[in-house]
Amino acid sequence: ACVRSNSNRAAISHLHRQLYGRLYPVLLVNTDGSTVRLRYREPKRILMLPLDSSTLPEAERKARLRRQFPGKPKAKEEETFEGIDMDTYKKFWKK
């Protein structure tokens, strides 16, 4: 197995690096919606700061928790074929 270590390798997949040699321009989004451009060590487009749930009103905090952790899916009722007239679908059967 030959490993190609040239400039074409980055076009096939992502770079396998732990540290990047330069800083990249990134857009930082604060919790209030304001944005700041800064230099970051990894090539990303947007960084979002986490929202502090203790500063939110009680109703909005509960709504966020419900969206984050939805309940169990409800069981669906099974369809029955008792009330179906089979003569209406007779034209679709092969003879």
Side-chain angles (χ1 to χ4, degrees), residues 9 16 28 35 39 43 45 47 70 91:
R9 182 173 177 225
H16 302 281
L28 176 71
T35 59
R39 311 284 291 172
R45 291 187 183 190
L47 283 177
K91 61 184 174 187

Side-chain angles (χ1 to χ4, degrees), residues 31-78:
T31 56
D32 61 351
S34 61
T35 59
V36 178
R37 293 200 176 270
L38 52 91
R39 311 284 291 172
Y40 193 65
R41 65 183 178 272
E42 294 180 14
K44 295 184 178 187
R45 291 187 183 190
I46 296 178
L47 283 177
M48 295 182 69
L49 292 177
L51 184 65
D52 186 16
S53 62
S54 63
T55 60
L56 293 175
E58 188 68 23
E60 189 173 342
R61 187 176 64 80
K62 286 185 179 180
R64 281 183 167 273
L65 284 174
R66 266 195 308 274
R67 276 182 292 187
Q68 189 174 4
F69 302 107
K72 295 180 182 177
K74 296 180 181 178
K76 295 181 181 177
E77 295 182 18
E78 294 185 17

